[in-house]
Amino acid sequence: MMDRRTFIIDTAMLATSISFPFHFFDHNKNIVFGHQNKRYTWDEHWLDGLINKPSVKDCHEMVFTDKKEVILLTNDTKNNILIFDKSGKLNRSWGHDFPGAHGMTIHNEAEQYLFITDTEKHQFYKTTLNGKILNTWDCPLETGKYSDKKAFVPTETAITKEGEIYVADGYGAQYITHYDRDGHIKNIFGGRGDGDEHLDNAHGICIDYRTVKPTLIITDRNRCCFKRFTMTGDFLEKIVIPGANMCRPVISGDYLYAAVLTSYNTGNANTGFVIILDKDNQLVSAIAGTTPEYKKGICQTMQQTVKLFKHPHDVMIDDEDNLYVCQWNSGQILPMKFVPYV
Amino acid sequence: MYKLLIHVFVLIILSPAQGQNKLPLNIPYSNIQRAILSGMPIDLNFSFRMDGAQICYTTDGTIPGKQSKKYGQLLHISKPCTIKARAFHPDFLPSEIKQVDFYNKGLKIDSIETTAANKKYSGNGPKTLIDNILGDTDFKSNYLGFNTDTAVIDLHFTHATKIKQVAISFGINQGAWIFPPYKITVRNHFGMVVGEKNISNANEPNNEYYRYIEMPIEGQQYNKLNITIETLSQLPQWHAGAGQKPWLFIDEVIVK
């Protein structure tokens, strides 16, 4: 017969049996990733509360809403959009129309809207946060730069505060097409080539409001650099991070964050990491990447150090500076969350 | 209470979670992947900028452990060898092995002809294969790339030359549909087979970036050698491009 003492011991044993394998040896909990004042710990359990894992293919991009929700874009047409709260609870999902869902930008007007690019349908869209498609843009044939609609493979958009749109054709002809707030074409620049003004895998674009006048930062992924342009498409400068095949630039506060798909070249599978640059374009931290180092002002070659990621494709910063990373072609993994280490 | 203590102890020792959730390190970066020694020593540099990490290496082809030589500064390589290096860090599992091979330069080949490489991957023409420069892992230069059933190479020697071995270096990247050959046959001036090699594991998955295949041949004097390289007829069933034609990338032919 079980007495009280035995009951207490056995109950304690049961408790340790349940809890130990999951948390006591949570080795990575104490590991600090990154460098200088941009260091993080990995919250491996932020999605533990999900009862059913939602269906995803590639997890391409994320944005954070003014309602403090995390919106994830996947090219799985069972649910192109997944909306989580910061604790990892899946609030809702929508979207069956974007088989090539790739780029997603959030824009503030009277309410918030999404701009989504589709690399398979060769289009980009403006939608409400609830999934209603408001506008659709096709290949900008009228620019004279395209003879075939399928040559337009848009990867990203950037929207000014006034509502003007820039779309990057990062998997197509490498042009940046500029639309006015009514959706009419104003300008087109970039394109393939070897000049500073040209692009090779213009995978991402954002507007940098940290500068005196706003400027554009555009990814030139195959050449491991960001390029800064005026809002009218004039080349200004190149920010080279050798070894880093970066995706889109994401600016939060004074810092620029970017997922790096692979080290050295895009064929180098499972070697991604995350980079963080300050407002002077200096690389200050790399999560799962080598310690940033400059010699005579030149950033030294970066590479993955720890196999924390496979192919990071985007980063997102929430209102508490938590950092989220979603990944392409990485075993349908959902976004990972990192908490600032102070 | 002792039962509880024993139970906790056993859990600590046997817990499947212990150690297994450590992340592995990536392999160290090296300034060269492999090279042909042409007289001058070659500097080999490893780097892995990470606090607390240490690169250990061997020069005899054995697997490096924490007790192996610690990498500190440039290695000057003057003899053919295989360097193997790994990164270690107390918080992470060791990296996979980074291998860097150094080969001796071969005998002089006076001229070379090949069947047509694909236009996109035609390097500097057939001479690409006898320039003593190996290709890099980006496959952008110093390679001839073929997507045909066979690639044929003719080597010409002005003076009859005694040859005992033919070695061919191939670039491999199965994810990019670049596979090793299936069979290599070497014939003499009269069309007689003087060397042959079947590559039985050509269709098996691997993560190698190159393969250096050495073939002994009948040690005679030759003015010409004809090398026929056969590719897999199609990508294997396990591959994402199953049924389609694989690519063959060659960067160097060395005769000894």
Side-chain angles (χ1 to χ4, degrees):
Chain A
M1 177 183 286
M2 182 181 286
D3 59 17
R4 179 177 172 276
R5 185 168 175 273
T6 305
F7 173 79
I8 290 169
I9 290 173
D10 286 353
T11 304
M13 287 165 63
L14 177 65
T16 57
S17 299
I18 291 168
S19 63
F20 268 44
F22 296 109
H23 298 294
F24 189 80
F25 298 115
D26 198 353
H27 174 83
N28 298 309
K29 189 177 176 183
N30 299 316
I31 304 289
V32 178
F33 297 97
H35 307 95
Q36 302 186 66
N37 62 335
K38 285 292 176 185
R39 294 189 292 164
Y40 299 84
T41 55
W42 176 20
D43 177 0
E44 291 184 69
H45 303 290
W46 93 284
L47 292 174
D48 281 357
L50 282 179
I51 297 166
N52 296 309
K53 180 182 176 289
S55 177
V56 294
K57 288 184 180 174
D58 304 302
C59 291
H60 274 141
E61 293 203 340
M62 297 167 294
V63 293
F64 191 62
T65 73
D66 57 9
K67 290 181 180 166
K68 302 188 177 183
E69 290 182 312
V70 177
I71 301 184
L72 170 69
L73 178 71
T74 171
N75 51 356
D76 189 329
T77 52
K78 290 191 185 104
N79 42 230
N80 284 124
I81 294 283
L82 298 166
I83 302 176
F84 301 89
D85 67 19
K86 287 194 296 181
S87 71
K89 182 186 165 201
L90 180 61
N91 287 340
R92 59 196 183 280
S93 64
W94 55 264
H96 312 286
D97 298 323
F98 310 122
H102 188 276
M104 178 171 61
T105 305
I106 194 162
H107 182 243
N108 297 317
E109 297 175 28
E111 56 185 287
Q112 290 191 300
Y113 296 95
L114 298 175
F115 285 78
I116 293 171
T117 70
D118 190 310
T119 54
E120 286 193 19
K121 291 169 86 171
H122 309 279
Q123 293 176 320
F124 68 100
Y125 314 88
K126 181 179 181 180
T127 77
T128 66
L129 294 196
N130 293 321
K132 184 180 178 187
I133 297 176
L134 303 174
N135 280 316
T136 300
W137 286 267
D138 286 300
C139 174
L141 290 171
E142 56 269 51
T143 60
K145 301 290 189 184
Y146 295 88
S147 55
D148 178 3
K149 284 183 177 181
K150 290 188 176 176
F152 178 63
V153 193
T155 46
E156 193 60 80
T157 57
I159 322 298
T160 69
K161 289 174 180 171
E162 296 75 28
E164 298 199 352
I165 304 164
Y166 294 83
V167 60
D169 184 11
Y171 287 160
Q174 308 301 320
Y175 288 107
I176 308 298
T177 308
H178 177 187
Y179 300 77
D180 66 18
R181 59 180 300 163
D182 297 319
H184 301 122
I185 293 172
K186 286 179 75 174
N187 189 18
I188 186 164
F189 58 94
R192 282 188 197 284
D194 295 325
D196 281 340
E197 73 278 23
H198 294 128
L199 300 160
D200 187 2
N201 200 342
H203 195 271
I205 181 169
C206 78
I207 300 164
D208 188 355
Y209 289 105
R210 299 171 302 173
T211 43
V212 177
K213 286 184 178 177
T215 51
L216 294 166
I217 300 181
I218 303 171
T219 308
D220 190 343
R221 190 164 75 179
N222 285 342
R223 290 188 274 238
C224 297
C225 66
F226 293 117
K227 287 180 171 175
R228 189 184 300 276
F229 290 77
T230 65
M231 300 303 283
T232 52
D234 296 319
F235 172 80
L236 293 173
E237 67 170 334
K238 189 161 49 175
I239 305 158
V240 184
I241 311 291
N245 301 117
M246 63 279 273
C247 298
R248 75 159 156 180
V250 175
I251 294 174
S252 177
D254 281 341
Y255 292 89
L256 183 153
Y257 304 75
V260 174
L261 188 80
T262 50
S263 306
Y264 314 135
N265 64 69
T266 50
N268 196 14
N270 305 322
T271 57
F273 54 100
V274 169
I275 52 174
I276 305 172
L277 285 71
D278 66 17
K279 62 181 176 183
D280 298 320
N281 304 330
Q282 295 290 295
L283 180 64
V284 294
S285 180
I287 301 168
T290 41
T291 306
E293 184 177 68
Y294 284 80
K295 286 184 181 170
K296 296 181 180 175
I298 296 171
C299 182
Q300 300 300 291
T301 301
M302 297 294 295
Q303 74 154 86
Q304 183 192 66
T305 51
V306 178
K307 291 197 164 291
L308 176 61
F309 307 117
K310 289 185 176 179
H311 302 110
H313 195 274
D314 193 28
V315 295
M316 193 211 78
I317 316 301
D318 71 15
D319 59 332
E320 296 177 292
D321 275 344
N322 297 309
L323 184 148
Y324 302 75
V325 180
C326 63
Q327 303 192 66
W328 166 81
N329 186 21
S330 299
Q332 288 82 46
I333 189 172
L334 289 168
M336 297 163 71
K337 181 178 180 179
F338 296 86
V339 178
Y341 177 78
V342 286
Chain B
M1 185 55 74
Y2 74 93
K3 279 174 70 179
L4 176 60
L5 292 173
I6 289 171
H7 190 71
V8 170
F9 177 75
V10 168
L11 273 170
I12 291 171
I13 297 301
L14 299 181
S15 169
Q18 190 182 28
Q20 289 188 6
N21 59 353
K22 272 190 176 185
L23 295 163
L25 297 171
N26 193 13
I27 58 172
Y29 170 79
S30 63
N31 61 327
I32 46 178
Q33 313 308 312
R34 58 208 175 104
I36 294 172
L37 293 156
S38 301
M40 295 290 287
I42 296 174
D43 287 342
L44 172 62
N45 172 47
F46 287 111
S47 72
F48 199 81
R49 296 192 312 273
M50 179 183 186
D51 284 350
Q54 175 68 56
I55 296 172
C56 298
Y57 71 98
T58 61
T59 56
D60 58 3
T62 57
I63 295 171
K66 283 182 190 171
Q67 308 309 318
S68 303
K69 291 178 192 167
K70 309 274 188 290
Y71 177 79
Q73 56 188 2
L74 280 180
L75 302 176
H76 305 289
I77 309 296
S78 55
K79 292 178 182 174
C81 62
T82 292
I83 309 282
K84 290 187 175 178
R86 291 172 93 183
F88 293 88
H89 190 290
D91 290 335
F92 302 99
L93 297 173
S95 71
E96 292 180 359
I97 295 166
K98 174 78 177 187
Q99 179 170 328
V100 185
D101 289 313
F102 293 87
Y103 314 115
N104 253 342
K105 185 174 124 174
L107 298 168
K108 186 176 180 226
I109 298 168
D110 293 302
S111 66
I112 182 170
E113 296 163 2
T114 70
T115 48
N118 183 279
K119 282 182 183 173
K120 278 186 182 173
Y121 307 105
S122 54
N124 296 316
K127 285 186 177 177
T128 304
L129 303 187
I130 54 172
D131 61 1
N132 288 324
I133 301 171
L134 299 174
D136 208 339
T137 51
D138 61 6
F139 297 97
K140 284 181 181 167
S141 57
N142 292 315
Y143 278 105
L144 295 187
F146 299 87
N147 57 347
T148 47
D149 292 338
T150 57
V152 180
I153 302 168
D154 285 332
L155 308 178
H156 299 277
F157 305 91
T158 306
H159 303 290
T161 304
K162 186 164 187 180
I163 297 169
K164 291 182 176 176
Q165 186 191 75
V166 171
I168 307 175
S169 173
F170 297 91
I172 313 285
N173 185 340
Q174 291 184 334
W177 299 23
I178 305 170
F179 273 64
Y182 167 72
K183 185 177 182 182
I184 304 172
T185 308
V186 184
R187 293 182 174 85
N188 66 9
H189 179 73
F190 303 105
M192 292 170 60
V193 173
V194 293
E196 196 171 40
K197 187 127 186 169
N198 292 305
I199 296 89
S200 58
N201 63 355
N203 61 355
E204 294 174 8
N206 67 62
N207 57 3
E208 63 193 359
Y209 278 100
Y210 59 88
R211 192 176 289 195
Y212 186 77
I213 297 177
E214 296 173 311
M215 285 172 300
I217 63 169
E218 292 175 16
Q220 298 171 14
Q221 306 272 342
Y222 296 99
N223 284 103
K224 178 186 174 186
L225 285 177
N226 168 279
I227 305 168
T228 301
I229 304 167
E230 297 175 52
T231 62
L232 291 170
S233 58
Q234 57 184 22
L235 290 165
Q237 283 303 310
W238 56 264
H239 193 273
Q244 304 206 50
K245 190 75 192 158
W247 283 83
L248 181 78
F249 272 61
I250 312 170
D251 60 348
E252 200 70 16
V253 176
I254 297 172
V255 295
K256 293 177 181 172

